[in-house]
Amino acid sequence: MAQNNKIVTIHQPQYIPYLGFFNKVLKSDIFIVLDDVSINKGGFTNRNRIKTLNGPIWITIPLVRNNKIIKNIKIQNTFWIKKHLKSLHYNYSNASFFDVIMPSFKQVLLSKPWDSLVELNMSLLNYLLGLLDIEVEISFSSRFDKSSKGSQKLVDLVNCVGGSRYLAGPGSKDYLDESTFRASSIEVIQQNFLDKPYEQMYGSYESNLSILDSLFNVGPDGVKKLIK
């Protein structure tokens, strides 16, 4: 495929991600969902943090542990949905935009008995992108069936969609081999997202929480300013 001047970002599908994730997607023309790799143990693919009176806590989706490849991972049961909704209601019901956001978020969670982790995460992501008026072309790494690893896999995926620039996230300098990108004439751009404190409940500001925290506290218009 001939290269264009489009910016490509590649990321594993996360559960209700933090603001930096949305900044990365906002700055990209094409978002490739990295779904044909092993899940990051201790990562954010099936969990995220919310804020409580006693500090941040994790809300986690229980998984069937017989498969490590993200696209094949199944959700263990549906009991977690009630637990997550209860936690959100208990900790955010007095937030300024809780009544604006919660009904539609709840509707997505209750729309079906979720079995596939990727399907759930992408349904929630599409819902959140819609709230924030973010339009981006979305594809999946599994569609291209590339068996390469590491930086070469990222290069191969960027080439598959005809991109010429790759937007790398924070910490990528620790593992990214930029010479591999240069060999394919792909420019690596480092994400420059700066966390901006916003009004939160429960004391001092806590960074890197799920986007739900900011949506409940400052609403979609406020979040749009935070992710620019």
Side-chain angles (χ1 to χ4, degrees):
M1 183 183 293
Q3 283 190 331
N4 53 44
N5 201 35
K6 291 185 176 181
I7 298 174
V8 180
T9 194
I10 303 171
H11 210 292
Q12 293 187 12
Q14 294 187 346
Y15 178 54
I16 49 176
Y18 87 121
L19 293 172
F21 181 101
F22 291 90
N23 167 266
K24 201 175 178 186
V25 175
L26 177 66
K27 301 296 184 182
S28 303
D29 300 296
I30 304 172
F31 169 41
I32 300 179
V33 181
L34 193 61
D35 67 336
D36 61 346
V37 298
S38 295
I39 189 172
N40 284 339
K41 187 176 181 180
F44 294 84
T45 314
N46 69 311
R47 65 177 191 160
N48 223 302
R49 301 189 311 150
I50 62 172
K51 195 175 183 185
T52 75
L53 181 61
N54 298 312
I57 63 168
W58 291 97
I59 52 175
T60 303
I61 302 170
L63 304 177
V64 177
R65 294 292 180 177
N66 62 354
N67 202 305
K68 294 182 180 180
I69 304 301
I70 292 174
K71 67 175 183 175
N72 299 326
I73 292 177
K74 302 298 182 183
I75 298 172
Q76 193 175 94
N77 55 57
T78 58
F79 301 133
W80 63 273
I81 296 178
K82 182 180 291 187
K83 183 178 179 181
H84 287 199
L85 291 174
K86 184 178 180 180
S87 292
L88 293 172
H89 189 276
Y90 182 81
N91 292 291
Y92 290 104
S93 59
N94 292 324
S96 299
F97 289 86
F98 180 81
D99 291 335
V100 175
I101 302 299
M102 190 61 174
S104 54
F105 176 77
K106 181 178 180 180
Q107 186 176 24
V108 176
L109 273 191
L110 296 178
S111 61
K112 61 179 293 185
W114 298 102
D115 178 53
S116 165
L117 180 62
V118 170
E119 186 180 358
L120 168 65
N121 283 351
M122 293 309 299
S123 293
L124 288 170
L125 178 60
N126 286 323
Y127 158 73
L128 293 166
L129 293 176
L131 278 182
L132 302 176
D133 296 320
I134 297 176
E135 295 184 5
V136 65
E137 180 182 336
I138 297 177
S139 192
F140 294 82
S141 60
S142 57
R143 167 189 167 196
F144 303 108
D145 193 26
K146 292 294 180 181
S147 59
S148 47
K149 306 290 184 182
S151 293
Q152 186 61 55
K153 184 179 181 72
L154 301 179
V155 167
D156 290 344
L157 290 172
V158 174
N159 281 327
C160 281
V161 296
S164 62
R165 293 183 286 173
Y166 173 70
L167 180 58
S172 63
K173 290 183 178 180
D174 296 334
Y175 63 84
L176 207 65
D177 181 2
E178 294 197 21
S179 65
T180 305
F181 287 82
R182 286 194 295 270
S184 289
S185 300
I186 297 171
E187 178 187 0
V188 175
I189 307 169
Q190 293 294 331
Q191 183 185 18
N192 60 355
F193 174 69
L194 297 176
D195 185 58
K196 307 179 190 75
Y198 56 88
E199 181 182 347
Q200 286 181 340
M201 302 174 69
Y202 313 123
S204 60
Y205 177 73
E206 185 74 35
S207 62
N208 300 330
L209 299 173
S210 163
I211 192 174
L212 289 181
D213 183 84
S214 53
L215 282 171
F216 288 147
N217 282 300
V218 301
D221 288 340
V223 172
K224 290 175 187 178
K225 296 175 183 177
L226 293 173
I227 64 174
K228 284 185 177 180

